[in-house]
Amino acid sequence: MAESNENNVPEAPKGGVKKGNKKTSEKLKLRAVPETILKRRKTANERNAKRLQKRKVSLAVKRLHRKVIFKRAEAYVREYRKKEKDELRLARLAKKIGSFYVPAEPKLAFVIRIRGINGVSPRVKKILQLFRLRQINNGIFLKINTATVNMLRIVEPYITWGYPNLKSVRELVYKRGFGKIARRRLALSNNKLIEKKLGNKNIICMEDLIHEIYTIGPHFKEATNFLWPFKLNNPAGGWRKKTNHYVEGGDFGNREHLINNLLRKMV
C-alpha cells in the first residue's frame, strides 16, 4: 500500500520554482520610479525638516519668553510687597514715637463719566473729549498733576473719580482691557499684541502694562493711550443721585480711595 501511494504522488517539474523566482526578480528590477516623483519626495522631506526645525526654534523662543515674563512678574510682586511693608513700618514707627505718618499723595486717578452731554458747555465738552470720555460709564487712567486737577474741577459734575489700588488696576486691565491696534478695539488675549505695540518701550506683557500704569512709569502716556477707554457696567444697585456731590450723598466728584468699592460693582 505504501508503494502505491508513493507512485500516485505527482513529481514537481525540475527547475520550475527557480524559473518563476527569476521572472519575478526581473520584473521587480524593471519597475523604476520616475524622476519627478523622486524630486517631489525630496522636496517634501526637505520642507518637513525645515518645518520641524522652525517649530523647535519657535518653541525654544516661547519657553525663554515665558521665563522672562515670569521673572518680571516675580520682581513686580516683590516690589509691591516691599512698598507695603515700608509704609506699614513707617506708620508703626511714627505711632511708637507719638507722631503721625502721612503717606505720599496719590499720583494715579481713575475717572468715570456718569452723565450725558445735554446742556453741556463747549469747554466741558472739549475736556471730556480730551479725556476720551465720549460715552456714559467710560473710564480712563489719569496722571495727577496741576493741569489735570484743574481740568477735573471743570468737568466734575459729569464725572466721578478717585485713587485706584493695585487690585483695581489689575482687574480693570485683565477683565475690561482692550487695546487700540490699527484703530481697532481688540481684546488683550495675547501678550504678543502688547509686545507688538509697546515692545520698543520695554513693555512686553500684561504685568509690564499694569506695573507701568500703577507706578506712573516713564511710558505711562503710551501705555494709557494703547488701552481703549474702559466700558463699564452700571453699578450693582444703581447710582444714588448723579446731580449731587459724593460728600452730599450723591455720585459725582472725588471719592478718593472709595472709588475701589465702586469699581467692584462696575467691572
Side-chain angles (χ1 to χ4, degrees):
M1 292 295 290
E3 288 178 4
S4 63
N5 288 338
E6 287 177 2
N7 294 330
N8 292 334
V9 175
E11 293 184 5
K14 295 181 180 180
V17 178
K18 291 182 181 179
K19 287 179 183 177
N21 288 341
K22 193 180 287 186
K23 286 179 182 179
T24 52
S25 62
E26 285 176 0
K27 286 181 181 179
L28 290 172
K29 285 179 183 179
L30 292 172
R31 286 178 188 173
V33 181
E35 189 177 355
T36 54
I37 294 176
L38 292 173
K39 285 182 178 180
R40 203 177 300 154
R41 287 177 185 173
K42 185 180 178 182
T43 53
N45 292 334
E46 289 176 356
R47 198 186 306 120
N48 291 334
K50 285 180 182 178
R51 192 184 294 121
L52 287 173
Q53 184 65 24
K54 190 177 179 181
R55 188 180 177 187
K56 285 180 182 178
V57 171
S58 65
L59 286 174
V61 170
K62 284 180 182 178
R63 201 175 294 115
L64 184 63
H65 198 62
R66 281 198 299 268
K67 285 182 181 179
V68 171
I69 291 172
F70 188 75
K71 286 181 179 179
R72 286 192 179 193
E74 281 186 334
Y76 295 148
V77 169
R78 285 196 297 268
E79 181 184 340
Y80 301 144
R81 287 179 180 173
K82 185 176 181 298
K83 187 178 178 182
E84 289 179 4
K85 287 179 180 179
D86 287 345
E87 287 188 356
L88 186 62
R89 179 178 55 81
L90 291 170
R92 287 175 177 172
L93 184 63
K95 186 178 180 181
K96 189 176 182 180
I97 62 176
S99 182
F100 295 97
Y101 170 68
V102 180
E105 291 185 1
K107 296 180 181 179
L108 178 67
F110 190 77
V111 186
I112 305 171
R113 181 170 178 171
I114 62 172
R115 291 178 66 185
I117 59 171
N118 289 340
V120 176
S121 67
R123 192 182 183 191
V124 172
K125 201 178 290 185
K126 183 64 177 176
I127 292 172
L128 290 172
Q129 186 180 349
L130 290 173
F131 282 164
R132 300 186 298 157
L133 298 174
R134 298 178 179 272
Q135 297 175 341
I136 296 174
N137 292 343
N138 273 12
I140 58 155
F141 290 110
L142 192 67
K143 183 180 180 181
I144 297 176
N145 52 36
T146 306
T148 55
V149 168
N150 291 334
M151 293 167 77
L152 288 170
R153 285 173 183 164
I154 293 169
V155 298
E156 197 170 40
Y158 301 91
I159 61 168
T160 184
W161 62 288
Y163 314 126
N165 56 21
L166 177 62
K167 184 180 179 182
S168 297
V169 175
R170 184 175 276 120
E171 282 187 354
L172 282 166
V173 175
Y174 271 108
K175 293 182 179 180
R176 297 280 178 164
F178 285 80
K180 184 168 61 179
I181 299 168
R183 297 184 179 182
R184 291 188 300 166
R185 182 173 180 260
L186 296 178
L188 300 178
S189 57
N190 197 336
N191 286 326
K192 287 182 180 179
L193 298 173
I194 301 172
E195 187 177 5
K196 184 180 178 181
K197 193 73 176 179
L198 300 172
N200 56 349
K201 312 295 182 188
N202 200 24
I203 300 172
I204 61 172
C205 62
M206 293 286 275
E207 289 299 326
D208 286 343
L209 188 63
I210 292 166
H211 181 264
E212 193 71 19
I213 292 169
Y214 183 66
T215 60
I216 314 292
H219 303 294
F220 174 82
K221 184 179 178 181
E222 291 84 353
T224 51
N225 286 338
F226 166 71
L227 288 173
W228 200 278
F230 296 93
K231 295 186 177 184
L232 306 175
N233 297 325
N234 282 318
W239 300 100
R240 294 187 294 180
K241 195 171 184 182
K242 292 183 180 181
T243 54
N244 284 7
H245 198 282
Y246 181 71
V247 297
E248 297 173 352
D251 289 307
F252 77 79
N254 186 6
R255 298 174 180 241
E256 297 186 355
H257 296 287
L258 295 175
I259 191 73
N260 297 297
N261 298 334
L262 179 65
L263 288 173
R264 300 288 180 279
K265 298 176 183 179
M266 298 182 73
V267 172

